[in-house]
């Protein structure tokens, strides 16, 4: 496995990014892995590696780069939780769409990456980012996954559901049954919006689990069975559309 910590130059600064891909057999389809609110950290690096080992060129950027070179929530004490919410409130769908332009330009120059076959996945905060990116770059993004993504249907001009008619990507949206950030009403709303759009895809409700169920270091919230199901869905989604 090839791993690098690099900086991608955007229109607003240098975005620290973890990149990983297999040593042999490229060029590989590209996956933009968009971090959750607690920040770019080793737990996410491991998840990126899990995708990369099956034949993908994975890019995991620090989306907080405009404010800080590094942030990682202290899960044990929660002492910097307020900082996390401040950072989280400082970015949005349109900003990440702009960042994606820089990521596309980066992979275009990489011999190991196939910039014509691209997917994106986002967790929590970044679920709506992944869907927005798919709508903004229909000629590039072939698949997009939101895993317990927040703010999927909101009363704003850049609400992710408004882009369903603009994307050619296959959409997968995973939701937890118990989620303080995504009530079941929103799950039903986004499901109806997707079904009534021109997009291909589905919304899947994971029964009996909580927001964050896919992260192994979340203690009692982590649900191994549901986490492995989400991996099965993601790998199948990417393989169908990128390979």
């Amino acid at each position: 496995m090839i791993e690098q910590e690099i900086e991608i130059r955007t229109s607003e600064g240098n975005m620290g990014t973890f990149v990983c891909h297999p040593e042999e057999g490229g060029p590989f389809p590209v996956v933009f892995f968009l971090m959750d609110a607690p920040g770019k950290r080793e737990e996410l690096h491991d998840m990126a590696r899990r995708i990369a080992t099956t034949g993908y060129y994975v890019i995991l950027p620090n989306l907080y780069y405009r404010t800080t070179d590094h942030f990682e929530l202290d899960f044990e004490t929660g002492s910097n939780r307020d900082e996390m919410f401040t950072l989280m409130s400082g970015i949005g769908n349109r900003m990440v769409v702009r960042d994606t332009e820089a990521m596309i330009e980066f992979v275009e120059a990489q011999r190991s990456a196939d910039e014509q076959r691209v997917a994106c996945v986002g967790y929590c905060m970044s679920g709506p980012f992944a869907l927005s990116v798919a709508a903004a770059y229909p000629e590039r993004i072939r698949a997009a996954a939101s895993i317990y993504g927040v703010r999927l249907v909101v009363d704003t001009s850049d609400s992710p559901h408004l882009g369903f008619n603009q994307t050619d990507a296959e959409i997968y949206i995973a939701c937890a049954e118990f989620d303080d950030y995504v009530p079941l009403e929103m799950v039903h709303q986004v499901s109806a919006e997707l079904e009534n759009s021109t997009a291909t895809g589905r919304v899947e409700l994971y029964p009996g689990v909580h927001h964050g169920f896919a992260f192994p270091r979340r203690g009692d919230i982590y649900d191994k069975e549901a986490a492995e199901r989400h991996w099965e869905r993601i790998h199948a989604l990417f393989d169908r559309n990128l390979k």
Side-chain angles (χ1 to χ4, degrees):
M1 180 71 65
I2 304 296
E3 299 182 9
Q4 303 175 72
E5 283 285 354
I6 64 166
E7 289 189 344
I8 295 177
R9 181 68 182 172
T10 78
S11 60
E12 297 165 74
N14 293 322
M15 182 169 62
T17 303
F18 176 75
V19 175
C20 59
H21 59 85
E23 288 186 43
E24 302 176 343
F28 304 101
V30 174
V31 175
F32 296 146
F33 187 123
L34 306 178
M35 71 188 207
D36 62 334
K40 176 180 170 296
R41 59 196 186 280
E42 188 60 19
E43 181 176 36
L44 298 192
H45 294 175
D46 281 341
M47 295 171 74
R49 294 181 183 107
R50 180 162 179 172
I51 296 171
T53 55
T54 62
Y56 292 97
Y57 190 105
V58 183
I59 292 182
L60 170 58
N62 166 32
L63 297 178
Y64 294 148
Y65 74 93
R66 294 173 179 85
T67 304
T68 179
D69 291 338
H70 178 76
F71 173 82
E72 185 173 337
L73 177 67
D74 186 334
F75 284 100
E76 290 189 10
T77 68
S79 59
N80 57 350
R81 185 171 296 273
D82 288 344
E83 182 183 359
M84 179 186 72
F85 284 115
T86 298
L87 290 167
M88 182 179 176
S89 66
I91 61 173
N93 297 328
R94 292 189 178 96
M95 298 171 86
V96 177
V97 165
R98 295 198 300 271
D99 294 339
T100 302
E101 182 177 5
M103 290 191 283
I104 290 173
E105 290 176 355
F106 170 77
V107 296
E108 286 177 337
Q110 305 307 308
R111 295 179 61 183
S112 295
D114 182 348
E115 75 280 4
Q116 296 301 323
R117 294 181 291 162
V118 185
C120 55
V121 57
Y123 292 77
C124 181
M125 169 186 79
S126 289
F129 300 163
L131 301 179
S132 296
V133 166
Y137 301 97
E139 74 286 356
R140 294 281 191 168
I141 307 300
R142 299 190 184 184
S146 165
I147 312 302
Y148 38 79
V150 300
R151 297 178 58 80
L152 299 175
V153 181
V154 290
D155 188 19
T156 64
S157 62
D158 64 345
S159 179
H161 79 280
L162 298 176
F164 288 158
N165 289 326
Q166 301 169 22
T167 182
D168 294 325
E170 182 181 349
I171 301 296
Y172 177 69
I173 299 174
C175 301
E177 180 179 6
F178 304 109
D179 195 328
D180 293 338
Y181 305 101
V182 185
L184 288 178
E185 178 185 3
M186 184 177 292
V187 176
H188 299 320
Q189 285 179 319
V190 75
S191 182
E193 293 288 349
L194 183 59
E195 184 176 348
N196 293 325
S197 74
T198 59
T200 300
R202 63 166 168 157
V203 176
E204 183 173 14
L205 183 65
Y206 285 56
V209 299
H210 295 259
H211 184 94
F213 66 80
F215 294 127
R217 300 183 186 178
R218 291 290 177 89
D220 293 340
I221 293 176
Y222 173 64
D223 187 287
K224 182 176 178 59
E225 181 179 350
E228 291 304 315
R229 183 185 305 126
H230 119 277
W231 281 120
E232 176 188 338
R233 302 292 193 262
I234 286 178
H235 283 297
L237 175 73
F238 293 166
D239 289 352
R240 275 195 306 273
N241 292 282
L242 301 183
K243 289 188 174 180

